[in-house]
Amino acid sequence: MTLGTSIRVAANSGKRLLKPTRAALTMTPAAVSRVKEILEQSSSKSLKISLKTRGCNGLTYVLDYCNKGEKFDEVVEQDGVKIFIDSKALMTIIGTEMDFTTNKLSSEFVFSNPNVKGTCGCGESFSV
């Protein structure tokens, strides 16, 4: 038995079809929780991630309080947390996972970035 279906191919009218994309940055539940705690203690509504030239290997992540992003900043919203990504840092940060870890010596945000080619010994700076 054959199923009688018809197939029609629509010509592209020149408009690009938008496909869903992944977020530029994803956060673990621990990171989301810590960002919420930080923002509750401040008058800011969100954080902004940018990159600075610093350290042995070239670049470091910088987190700042932010209420409103700049014109070309990327906005990532996850579980009620809003993070702006500086437009100049976006191509370097795409695909990164942000985590928050605590141990006996420190508590810190940890960025797992697939674009990183090398890091310094202490882990503060990286190169792409």
Side-chain angles (χ1 to χ4, degrees), residues 78-99:
Q78 181 180 327
D79 300 326
V81 171
K82 184 185 285 190
I83 296 204
F84 291 95
I85 300 174
D86 184 66
S87 60
K88 291 174 243 146
L90 182 59
M91 296 309 289
T92 304
I93 291 178
I94 285 180
T96 298
E97 180 185 66
M98 181 177 165
D99 191 13

Side-chain angles (χ1 to χ4, degrees), residues 3 7 11 16 23 26 33 41 50 80 84 95 100 113 118 120:
L3 185 61
I7 299 172
R16 278 184 59 190
T26 56
S33 175
Q41 298 170 6
S50 57
F84 291 95
F100 183 75
N113 188 335
C120 66

Side-chain angles (χ1 to χ4, degrees), residues 45-106:
K45 297 176 184 173
S46 59
L47 294 178
K48 182 172 183 173
I49 299 175
S50 57
L51 298 175
K52 297 283 184 194
T53 304
R54 208 184 284 166
C56 334
N57 234 356
L59 299 169
T60 59
Y61 295 101
V62 178
L63 286 172
D64 290 313
Y65 291 105
C66 177
N67 283 321
K68 183 176 145 184
E70 300 296 320
K71 184 175 182 179
F72 295 109
D73 289 350
E74 180 79 13
V75 181
V76 175
E77 292 186 62
Q78 181 180 327
D79 300 326
V81 171
K82 184 185 285 190
I83 296 204
F84 291 95
I85 300 174
D86 184 66
S87 60
K88 291 174 243 146
L90 182 59
M91 296 309 289
T92 304
I93 291 178
I94 285 180
T96 298
E97 180 185 66
M98 181 177 165
D99 191 13
F100 183 75
T101 61
T102 303
N103 59 38
K104 291 181 181 179
L105 296 175
S106 67

